[in-house]
Amino acid sequence: ESKKIKNSAHIFASEMQEGFLKNITIEQELRKAISNHELFMVYQPQITAEGFYYGAEALIRWNSPLLGNVPPDHFIPLAEASGLMLKIGRLIVEMVCNDVNELHQKLQHPFHVSINISVRQFMDPHFLEHMLHVFKKTQTQYLNITLEVTENLFIEDLHYILPLLHQIRDMGIEISMDDFGTGYSSLSMLRQLPINELKIDKSFVDTIAHDVASAKMIQNIITIGKNLNMHLLAEGVETKEQKDILTTFGCDRFQGYYFSKPLPKEELFHFFSKHPFT
Ligand code: C2E
Ligand code: CA
Ligand code: CA
Ligand code: CA
């Protein structure tokens, strides 16, 4: 019996070591990926309740020659932990600006783009300064930009975060609260936040058609958001049924595989050219 425990402890230790080594490899490769242009953005279309496309969420992709496609769920946390996130975050803003400018020109029509901003990135003392520098350098019209932040941002020092969010919003950049309902949140705090949009997390959307409790909860979130004059965007919408229920509840923006998967910029152009656009 004790031998068994010893063995499994040993296996556990070596698995941990393996995981650790794997993460070190990923981190090393990620460093190279930044300079080797292995990172790029894809864009998932966003649509209004009336059925018009108006924008897209920018999502990062990494195609590594050594590791293959590494999902962002995997490497973004590693980048955050290793300090690489600042560099990657800056690169993301730059890639999005370049892509969006190119698409604006081709489409002859502006559209919204949402950029995910990690907590580390937002807390960087030079975050705003750098972003404005990139907008200027790339001549990006930032009135069409939304920043997606998560609830976890609001665990940080509110005396620092709130004025900065107000400053960003006063410039005409919109703020969206991503994955709403999954993290640290307080409804009383929501009232004081300069937020334009709540993104209802996919985990709630997943169960909406089959679980009365979760449907009720979404309905409440939507009502609260609307009372605070916020847009409500449902993410991860995969079926017509989900979309219809959410529409009945008053949700006004949608995103998910039911409409489109995230697309490389060339495909986004074709998608927007073929579909009704605001
Ligand atoms: P997120 O911000 O909540 O992004 C939504 C994720 O759900 C994306 O996964 C998207 O591809 C996926 N998705 C959208 N619609 C559907 C659907 O109908 N069904 C299913 N099954 N999935 C759907 P992705 O691109 O793998 O990104 C995962 C997470 O990685 C993101 O979650 C975000 O937290 C992070 N991430 C991705 N790109 C960036 C980035 O540029 N910057 C930062 N800071 N984080 C990013
Ligand atoms: Ca997001
Ligand atoms: Ca999300
Ligand atoms: Ca999510």
Side-chain angles (χ1 to χ4, degrees):
E1 186 62 34
S2 86
K3 199 176 167 198
K4 228 187 195 168
I5 291 171
K6 221 168 143 189
N7 273 344
S8 66
H10 178 74
I11 289 169
F12 178 64
S14 75
E15 266 176 8
M16 260 187 24
Q17 201 176 23
E18 230 171 72
F20 179 69
L21 287 175
K22 206 168 144 200
N23 284 349
I24 287 190
T25 313
I26 295 181
E27 194 187 312
Q28 279 169 351
E29 291 306 305
L30 192 53
R31 262 174 224 284
K32 290 190 225 155
I34 298 171
S35 36
N36 289 353
H37 306 286
E38 292 164 22
L39 300 170
F40 61 100
M41 307 306 292
V42 290
Y43 298 88
Q44 187 172 36
Q46 297 170 324
I47 187 170
T48 66
E50 291 78 34
F52 297 103
Y53 288 93
Y54 66 93
E57 177 182 9
L59 296 156
I60 195 165
R61 293 292 177 264
W62 177 18
N63 193 342
S64 156
L66 187 73
L67 305 163
N69 286 319
V70 187
D73 273 341
H74 198 144
F75 73 84
I76 294 281
L78 283 177
E80 288 264 296
S82 68
L84 279 178
M85 195 57 216
L86 286 191
K87 243 187 167 165
I88 294 177
R90 291 176 178 193
L91 182 61
I92 289 171
V93 175
E94 227 170 297
M95 291 192 292
V96 171
C97 285
N98 288 328
D99 289 351
V100 162
N101 287 332
E102 190 185 320
L103 284 175
H104 277 175
Q105 291 239 318
K106 276 169 85 175
L107 271 173
Q108 294 290 313
H109 198 309
F111 62 92
H112 272 85
V113 67
S114 298
I115 310 176
N116 290 284
I117 306 294
S118 78
V119 175
R120 274 286 179 92
Q121 206 183 336
F122 192 90
M123 295 308 289
D124 169 17
H126 302 291
F127 168 66
L128 182 58
E129 183 195 327
H130 178 268
M131 198 171 58
L132 291 179
H133 174 74
V134 175
F135 289 159
K136 201 169 168 190
K137 194 175 79 178
T138 56
Q139 296 183 305
T140 300
Q141 169 67 276
Y142 53 71
L143 293 177
N144 294 311
I145 301 242
T146 298
L147 304 184
E148 290 191 12
V149 299
T150 60
E151 288 167 289
N152 296 337
L153 178 63
F154 301 98
I155 303 170
E156 307 286 328
D157 183 9
L158 288 179
H159 295 294
Y160 177 75
I161 292 165
L162 288 185
L164 187 54
L165 281 176
H166 276 285
Q167 195 186 346
I168 290 171
R169 214 184 52 167
D170 289 346
M171 290 168 39
I173 296 172
E174 301 207 338
I175 314 284
S176 176
M177 174 91 93
D178 202 2
D179 301 337
F180 186 68
T182 63
Y184 168 90
S185 70
S186 104
L187 290 178
S188 61
M189 185 200 280
L190 196 59
R191 207 159 32 96
Q192 323 163 28
L193 301 180
I195 300 264
N196 302 86
E197 176 184 88
L198 291 182
K199 277 190 104 161
I200 301 165
D201 191 62
K202 179 178 183 302
S203 57
F204 300 119
V205 174
D206 282 343
T207 52
I208 194 170
H210 309 287
D211 179 41
V212 180
S214 113
K216 279 234 165 79
M217 211 194 79
I218 296 193
Q219 198 169 12
N220 286 331
I221 291 179
I222 293 175
T223 305
I224 289 164
K226 293 201 113 177
N227 285 335
L228 295 171
N229 278 320
M230 294 171 182
H231 287 287
L232 278 298
L233 190 158
E235 71 172 14
V237 177
E238 293 183 345
T239 67
K240 180 172 186 302
E241 193 183 13
Q242 291 169 345
K243 189 222 156 199
D244 289 343
I245 298 171
L246 287 157
T247 307
T248 316
F249 289 170
C251 189
D252 65 336
R253 294 175 166 181
F254 303 90
Q255 187 186 335
Y257 292 175
Y258 176 65
F259 305 98
S260 172
K261 292 203 165 179
L263 306 169
K265 66 174 183 213
E266 301 80 17
E267 284 177 46
L268 182 73
F269 169 71
H270 292 297
F271 187 92
F272 278 164
S273 328
K274 276 195 311 231
H275 290 86
F277 210 68
T278 54

